[in-house]
């Protein structure tokens, strides 16, 4: 564990708390892509299936439990509790275009052709692009509530912070994980446009609005 | 398993 990874994980935790807070205080999941949230459940379940056979640490254990539980809870909030506030007509990204390639890529590019190893690889590839339905929705509506942009910023910061973590691990532990690194770079890259608007508008006190 | 990455990240 190093500081970058810890800050990344805390940022990830914060993003989830921000999202739950947004849904509960506004009593609405307006502006949140159900598809992206469903993809995150898929990602966490596929990756953290190793809770059953791999012990890393108490920290790792509780974080995994938290990520699975909170992502399922968010789906519940969206699907049942605040269902009327979700508008499927603007959440129309075709998730099969993400899940399909992630399955194929994980079957080709993996460290070992084993079921749980392929599930791990699949979860890494899928996570890299899971934010796309959300960003697509943002693009479509052209605006977002400020709290939603804080959620996205914290989520983007999480993967961005993993990059210095990998550089640090390369020099201190001689560990290189090419699959995680390539996917992580792609994932962080997807946030660049968003970050630009977030820093130049939201953090200057303006509303998040995309140019028409 | 020496040649497989440890997967110790979240």
């Amino acid at each position: 564990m190093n500081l970058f990874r810890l800050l990344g994980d805390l940022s990830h935790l914060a993003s989830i708390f921000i999202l739950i807070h947004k849904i509960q205080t506004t009593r609405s999941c307006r502006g949140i892509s159900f598809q992206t949230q469903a993809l995150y459940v898929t990602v966490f379940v596929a990756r953290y299936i190793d809770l059953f056979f791999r012990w890393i640490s108490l920290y790792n254990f509780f974080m995994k439990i938290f990520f699975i539980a909170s992502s399922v809870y968010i789906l519940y909030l969206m699907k049942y509790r605040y269902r009327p506030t979700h508008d499927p007509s603007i959440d129309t990204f075709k998730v099969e275009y993400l899940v399909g390639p992630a399955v194929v890529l994980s079957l080709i590019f993996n460290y070992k052709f084993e079921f749980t190893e392929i599930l791990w690889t699949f979860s890494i590839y899928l996570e890299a692009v899971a934010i796309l339905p959300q960003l697509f929705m943002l693009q479509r509506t052209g605006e977002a509530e400020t709290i939603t942009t804080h959620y996205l910023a914290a989520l983007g910061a999480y993967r961005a912070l993993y990059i210095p973590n990998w550089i640090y691990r390369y020099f201190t532990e001689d560990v290189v994980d090419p699959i995680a690194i390539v996917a992580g770079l792609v994932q962080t890259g997807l946030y660049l446009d968003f970050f630009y608007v977030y820093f130049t508008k939201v953090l200057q006190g303006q509303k998040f609005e995309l140019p028409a | 398993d020496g040649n497989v990455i440890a997967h110790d990240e979240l």
Side-chain angles (χ1 to χ4, degrees):
Chain A
M1 178 56 73
N2 58 64
L3 190 63
F4 301 113
R5 182 142 59 111
L6 181 62
L7 289 177
D9 290 343
L10 292 179
S11 185
H12 195 183
L13 273 187
S15 76
I16 291 167
F17 284 119
I18 294 169
L19 178 58
I20 293 174
H21 181 257
K22 173 247 163 348
I23 294 174
Q24 289 185 329
T25 52
T26 65
R27 304 188 56 79
S28 161
C29 47
R30 194 168 72 93
I32 304 298
S33 166
F34 180 82
Q35 310 212 66
T36 282
Q37 298 306 319
L39 289 178
Y40 282 132
V41 172
T42 313
V43 165
F44 294 141
V45 170
R47 190 177 311 164
Y48 301 156
I49 195 85
D50 73 352
L51 276 168
F52 291 107
F53 59 88
R54 184 187 287 128
W55 179 260
I56 307 285
S57 66
L58 213 55
Y59 168 84
N60 187 279
F61 175 81
F62 281 114
M63 290 294 251
K64 283 172 174 170
I65 299 283
F66 176 81
F67 287 126
I68 292 173
S70 61
S71 62
V72 170
Y73 177 60
I74 289 165
L75 276 198
Y76 157 76
L77 289 178
M78 296 189 76
K79 194 85 196 167
Y80 299 100
R81 193 99 195 252
Y82 300 112
R83 187 188 185 102
T85 64
H86 177 252
D87 182 1
S89 69
I90 52 165
D91 189 15
T92 53
F93 196 94
K94 298 254 182 300
V95 284
E96 47 273 40
Y97 293 157
L98 304 178
V99 177
V103 169
V104 174
L105 281 176
S106 63
L107 289 172
I108 302 171
F109 302 105
N110 54 60
Y111 294 129
K112 203 174 186 186
F113 203 82
E114 240 173 39
F115 183 65
T116 55
E117 187 63 25
I118 287 168
L119 270 184
W120 177 87
T121 316
F122 163 72
S123 81
I124 293 286
Y125 293 148
L126 188 63
E127 186 193 342
V129 292
I131 199 63
L132 283 175
Q134 177 65 61
L135 293 177
F136 182 70
M137 197 166 158
L138 211 63
Q139 190 82 257
R140 252 186 103 145
T141 55
E143 52 158 41
E145 290 167 52
T146 301
I147 184 103
T148 303
T149 66
H150 294 326
Y151 159 66
L152 284 169
L155 194 57
Y158 141 65
R159 269 294 141 168
L161 282 160
Y162 262 63
I163 296 171
N165 152 65
W166 292 318
I167 297 171
Y168 181 88
R169 294 193 80 178
Y170 169 73
F171 287 110
T172 57
E173 300 167 45
D174 210 21
V175 168
V176 180
D177 184 339
I179 288 177
I181 292 172
V182 172
L185 288 173
V186 169
Q187 186 172 350
T188 308
L190 295 181
Y191 283 90
L192 291 180
D193 269 358
F194 166 80
F195 273 132
Y196 177 77
V197 182
Y198 184 74
F199 283 116
T200 56
K201 285 207 170 165
V202 180
L203 290 187
Q204 315 295 327
Q206 300 171 39
K207 192 174 163 30
F208 184 96
E209 271 174 327
L210 297 173
Chain B
D1 217 301
N3 54 0
V4 173
I5 307 265
H7 300 328
D8 58 351
E9 295 181 345
L10 286 164

